[in-house]
Amino acid sequence: MPQAGKGRLNYRCPSCFMRDLDIDMFYDREKDEYYCIRCQFTGKEEDVLRLNEMCRFRYKSMMKRITEFD
Ligand SMILES: [Zn+2]
């Protein structure tokens, strides 16, 4: 399994992204986890990726719904 480049990628914190904050996560080599210094969110690479996808999706649906409020 190729390990090269792991931890060098910048992932956006999905938890902060939900609050409209664009925060890069740090990589904890010992735990093999990404963490956010702002909101204490931690997660594996795959969790971060999955949550970021969910955020993006939710954002889109939120934007769509706003027009239906009145
Ligand atoms: Zn965060």
Side-chain angles (χ1 to χ4, degrees):
M1 206 173 152
Q3 295 282 326
K6 210 176 183 189
R8 293 177 152 219
L9 295 167
N10 280 332
Y11 291 120
R12 175 184 289 148
C13 172
S15 184
C16 288
F17 186 53
M18 292 292 284
R19 292 174 210 135
D20 220 6
L21 295 168
D22 197 350
I23 310 291
D24 279 342
M25 301 190 75
F26 287 82
Y27 178 64
D28 188 329
R29 218 172 286 268
E30 280 176 28
K31 290 183 189 165
D32 187 28
E33 274 181 353
Y34 286 83
Y35 64 95
C36 175
I37 49 164
R38 194 181 170 101
C39 72
Q40 318 296 316
F41 173 87
T42 60
K44 299 278 185 192
E45 184 176 16
E46 58 193 55
D47 295 327
V48 176
L49 287 172
R50 187 167 43 85
L51 286 166
N52 267 326
E53 281 303 312
M54 275 171 59
C55 289
R56 225 171 295 168
F57 179 76
R58 196 179 286 190
Y59 240 85
K60 269 182 205 159
S61 358
M62 270 168 69
M63 298 296 226
K64 254 187 223 165
R65 270 191 200 158
I66 285 170
T67 54
E68 292 168 16
F69 270 133
D70 63 359

